[in-house]
Amino acid sequence: MLAVTLDVMTLLANVFIKLIACEMHQNDEEWVKTVVEDLELLGLIFSSLFVLELAACLFSFGLSFLASWYHCFDATVILVSFFIDVASRGLTESIGSLVVVLRLWRLAKISEEVVMGATERLEILEQQVVELEDENRALRQQLDAEPHEYLSHE
């Protein structure tokens, strides 16, 4: 989640710096070029990490991982983002900034996975509550069925 957040922040910072530099007619300033290049390199590093994550998921779960439209779409976003980061020079650089929208999808994906994890945990806890209530009920019935010898010791 942290990597996705940092990736989106890097992309947004890159877009904002380009917009501000363009507005102030400072596109050719050395600091602008340096910062933009560094942010693009960071974006490529994040894209590479996401591709590695995708490869690890495919290795771990096999192609069945892509059976879900959700994971399939996410894999497409990762691969398209990576391709745009690698190929973003000249004209494709403008297209590359559109990948920000796609990468925001990663935040939605992470949020969905957190919710799914919490839902699964809640289901497990609910099952444990049912089991404990059944056990409690059985123990109460057992206590009611036994003679109340323990009361005379008080």
Side-chain angles (χ1 to χ4, degrees):
M1 194 167 192
L2 178 64
V4 174
T5 303
L6 290 173
D7 182 35
V8 171
M9 288 173 50
T10 300
L11 285 165
L12 290 175
N14 192 3
V15 169
F16 289 138
I17 287 174
K18 286 180 181 179
L19 287 174
I20 291 169
C22 181
E23 184 70 28
M24 297 175 69
H25 305 290
Q26 294 182 348
N27 286 339
D28 296 328
E29 294 286 328
E30 192 59 36
W31 72 271
V32 173
K33 290 179 181 179
T34 303
V35 170
V36 167
E37 286 175 9
D38 290 347
L39 290 173
E40 287 174 354
L41 178 62
L42 270 175
L44 182 59
I45 290 169
F46 283 120
S47 288
S48 300
L49 288 174
F50 297 140
V51 168
L52 286 174
E53 175 197 23
L54 176 61
C57 287
L58 289 173
F59 179 76
S60 298
F61 302 111
L63 289 177
S64 63
F65 178 75
L66 297 176
S68 162
W69 74 268
Y70 191 76
H71 292 296
C72 191
F73 182 73
D74 187 50
T76 303
V77 168
I78 290 169
L79 293 175
V80 168
S81 298
F82 180 74
F83 175 74
I84 289 173
D85 279 342
V86 169
S88 68
R89 298 292 178 257
L91 177 61
T92 57
E93 188 175 338
S94 302
I95 298 169
S97 58
L98 294 175
V99 86
V100 172
V101 174
L102 293 176
R103 289 209 179 142
L104 288 174
W105 163 257
R106 300 278 301 151
L107 282 178
K109 177 191 181 269
I110 297 292
S111 301
E112 191 271 341
E113 287 182 6
V114 167
V115 169
M116 291 296 288
T119 301
E120 289 173 3
R121 179 101 170 111
L122 183 61
E123 289 172 0
I124 291 169
L125 291 173
E126 286 173 347
Q127 180 62 33
Q128 287 176 342
V129 166
V130 168
E131 291 170 2
L132 288 172
E133 286 174 344
D134 290 345
E135 183 181 347
N136 189 4
R137 194 174 305 109
L139 289 172
R140 287 180 187 266
Q141 288 175 351
Q142 186 180 5
L143 282 174
D144 288 342
E146 292 179 3
H148 297 289
E149 297 176 10
Y150 58 89
L151 291 177
S152 61
H153 291 102
E154 289 181 4

